[in-house]
Amino acid sequence: MEIGIVGGSIAGCSAAFLLLRDGHEVTVFERSRKALVGRGGGIGTLPALIKQLKDEGLIKKNFASLLINKMPFVGKLASAEPYGKVAWAMPMSLEVFHWNELWKQLRSHVPDNRYNSGVRIVNAEKELNGKVTLTTAEGAKSEFDLVLFADGYHSLGRSILFPNKQLKYRGYVLWRGLLHESELGEKSPLKDEVLRLSYPGKPGHNVVYFIPNLNGSVKEGERIYNWAAYIALNEDELKEVMTDKAGELKEGTMPPGAISKRVETKLKDFLSQNTPLHYANIVNKTKDSYIQVIYTLDLDHYYKDNMCLIGDAGIVVQPFTGSGVFKGYNNVKDLIECLHEHKTLEYALNDWSNKQVENGKRLLVLGKQMEKAFIWEQPNFAHAKEDETAAWWKASVTFPENFSYEKK
């Protein structure tokens, strides 16, 4: 089939690789003229999924990552400065890495003649012959048997297919930044762990962990601190925070370097007052931080008129589930399987859509549980005992039966 993919980020490049390998003709449209390097920070997923991506050839065997073995829950306490008091360290297994490295490796699998940079799609229509016409901002038209929208949570495709579905603001933002270990000026106790730092008596928390540097090094002194602070904001506060240094109100994302000085100072003061000194210093020394507004969105269908939604163009879940960056990969693995199982495209897409909706709604339930635990009802870890914290976690989050991000 001739397949058009709108969006050339992680989901789009994953889809292009898998569909090309399956024998389809693929064309990717990415609205940005520049390489997407620098658009993301640290991310993580299960080691088994990383192994699967390596086995399938999506990433190299020497893909740079760090293995995380525990998640300490840490609170700010005057007698425990500068590192805070650990309430409990939950055993876990997670691989963390740089978004840039993942995108670069996925992008390398898509031939340049299949990847159209600086091309913004503005419309999509199903024709009488059953094909889909994509129209660019310049008015150029291309026809495809099937179109996949991999264009993120502000998806054009979703607005065309399901215009009544709107993003729901969750009451908090994710403020993120990266700092080279060498820039901190002090030695850190952080090792193979992801810290969750509570705010005393306030909703939200800050996450801190190391990722490899842009050269893939994980040596001490050469790593990068990745921090991600969840901060609750009402609608008026959100408007203030999302107004950039030029006075323009941004929607959804505040890019690196665009936060106003006043807002940045205010946010850094908040972290300084509510997290242990050492980790507040990491935030305070960071430049070019950025902000992501957290939304959710539910759907009852993933396709219409031979157009499909993948990744965050589909159901949007809270980031705690750890599924976000690989949703597009999983969506397309299922799509290829359904195309092989059914004789007609309509039957294949119906079956595929039902599976994506089921999986997406399960993740929404999990995300809501984690949101309640990590944002609105998180204990103050400075005064929580180990058994109390372990019991809180066990009671707060129930993973769905047979839950896995892997595709069998």
Side-chain angles (χ1 to χ4, degrees), residues 99-261:
W99 188 98
N100 288 344
E101 183 62 21
L102 178 63
W103 179 80
K104 284 192 298 183
Q105 292 201 20
L106 293 173
R107 171 65 184 89
S108 70
H109 294 307
V110 185
D112 289 343
N113 64 343
R114 301 277 184 180
Y115 191 99
N116 298 282
S117 300
V119 178
R120 183 167 65 93
I121 299 299
V122 296
N123 196 28
E125 293 180 288
K126 186 177 181 182
E127 306 295 345
L128 293 177
N129 63 4
K131 299 197 174 187
V132 179
T133 297
L134 292 178
T135 304
T136 72
E138 290 73 30
K141 296 181 183 292
S142 304
E143 195 173 79
F144 299 95
D145 300 305
L146 179 67
V147 167
L148 308 184
F149 282 93
D151 51 346
Y153 60 93
H154 279 296
S155 171
L156 168 70
R158 191 198 311 123
S159 70
I160 292 172
L161 300 180
F162 311 113
N164 294 328
K165 293 293 185 178
Q166 301 296 320
L167 293 165
K168 180 181 179 182
Y169 173 51
R170 302 305 301 180
Y172 57 98
V173 300
L174 182 55
W175 177 40
R176 305 193 63 171
L178 300 171
L179 180 73
H180 287 271
E181 187 177 4
S182 59
E183 295 180 45
L184 183 60
E186 56 186 275
K187 193 173 178 63
S188 177
L190 190 63
K191 298 187 187 304
D192 59 337
E193 53 207 354
V194 170
L195 303 184
R196 289 195 182 271
L197 310 166
S198 64
Y199 310 142
K202 300 180 179 67
H205 67 280
N206 188 20
V207 178
V208 184
Y209 56 92
F210 278 126
I211 59 172
N213 69 17
L214 290 176
N215 295 321
S217 176
V218 295
K219 293 181 180 178
E220 184 174 345
E222 298 180 3
R223 300 164 294 187
I224 294 176
Y225 289 103
N226 177 92
W227 57 267
Y230 294 91
I231 299 176
L233 300 173
N234 63 36
E235 293 287 350
D236 289 338
E237 292 169 328
L238 178 65
K239 184 176 180 180
E240 177 190 7
V241 165
M242 295 303 291
T243 300
D244 69 12
K245 60 176 58 175
E248 180 182 349
L249 181 62
K250 298 291 186 182
E251 183 180 6
T253 303
M254 178 73 73
I259 301 176
S260 73
K261 186 65 177 176

Side-chain angles (χ1 to χ4, degrees), residues 74-86 184-190 195 197-198 206 208 225 271-284 382:
V74 182
K76 182 177 177 67
L77 189 66
S79 61
E81 289 286 18
Y83 304 121
K85 174 184 171 292
V86 177
L184 183 60
E186 56 186 275
K187 193 173 178 63
S188 177
L190 190 63
L195 303 184
L197 310 166
S198 64
N206 188 20
V208 184
Y225 289 103
L271 265 291
S272 294
Q273 293 166 17
N274 291 288
T275 58
L277 179 61
H278 177 75
Y279 302 106
N281 285 343
I282 294 171
V283 174
N284 287 326

